[in-house]
């Protein structure tokens, strides 16, 4: 399942509304509307971080001055939502099936190892 995009700033759980891109050749930081797809050399920012960003010393900052808003949903978003609903609707396996599949009592990422092993 696809995870939703979040602000790239450490510890910020908010949804991004802008994209930060550095143009190293021109010593320029560009903050614009959220890109349609996450790029490896750009950073998604929430509104407060997009508006409060400052450029490194000696660099220019180009900032979108209009309103930031969440992008409209794409087909990928709708597919991800449908997959999440399908996954949540699946019945949980019965306890007996789980014990038979894992004879050593495995649960999640942990497993029980008998003392004689």
């Amino acid at each position: 399942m696809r995870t939703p995009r979040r602000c790239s700033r450490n510890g910020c759980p908010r949804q991004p509304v802008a994209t930060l891109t550095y143009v190293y050749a021109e010593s320029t930081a560009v903050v614009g509307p959220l890109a349609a797809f996450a790029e490896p050399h750009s950073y998604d920012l929430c509104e407060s971080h997009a508006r409060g960003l400052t450029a490194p010393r000696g660099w220019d900052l180009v900032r979108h001055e209009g309103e930031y808003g969440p992008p409209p949903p794409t087909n990928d978003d709708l597919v991800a939502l449908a997959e999440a609903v399908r996954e949540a609707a699946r019945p949980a396996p019965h306890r007996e099936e789980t014990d038979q599949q894992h004879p050593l009592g495995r649960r999640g990422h942990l497993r029980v190892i008998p003392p004689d092993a």
Side-chain angles (χ1 to χ4, degrees), residues 84-95 97-98 101:
V85 169
R86 271 189 232 117
E87 186 176 320
R90 286 188 191 132
H94 295 293
R95 180 94 169 128
E97 293 174 3
T98 305
Q101 290 173 348

Side-chain angles (χ1 to χ4, degrees), residues 48-113:
S48 65
H49 286 124
R51 296 220 184 267
L53 182 85
T54 58
R57 182 175 292 147
W59 283 52
D60 294 322
L61 177 63
V62 177
R63 186 190 324 262
H64 172 73
E65 292 300 330
E67 290 295 316
Y68 290 111
T74 64
N75 287 341
D76 291 342
D77 294 334
L78 297 175
V79 170
L81 179 61
E83 288 175 1
V85 169
R86 271 189 232 117
E87 186 176 320
R90 286 188 191 132
H94 295 293
R95 180 94 169 128
E96 298 162 3
E97 293 174 3
T98 305
D99 290 342
Q100 290 173 357
Q101 290 173 348
H102 306 290
L104 295 178
R106 183 180 171 129
R107 290 184 173 175
H109 66 283
L110 303 175
R111 63 185 175 138
V112 176
I113 299 176

Side-chain angles (χ1 to χ4, degrees), residues 23-41:
V23 182
Y24 293 99
E26 299 176 15
S27 298
T28 304
V30 180
V31 179
L34 185 65
F37 300 100
E39 297 289 331
H41 299 292

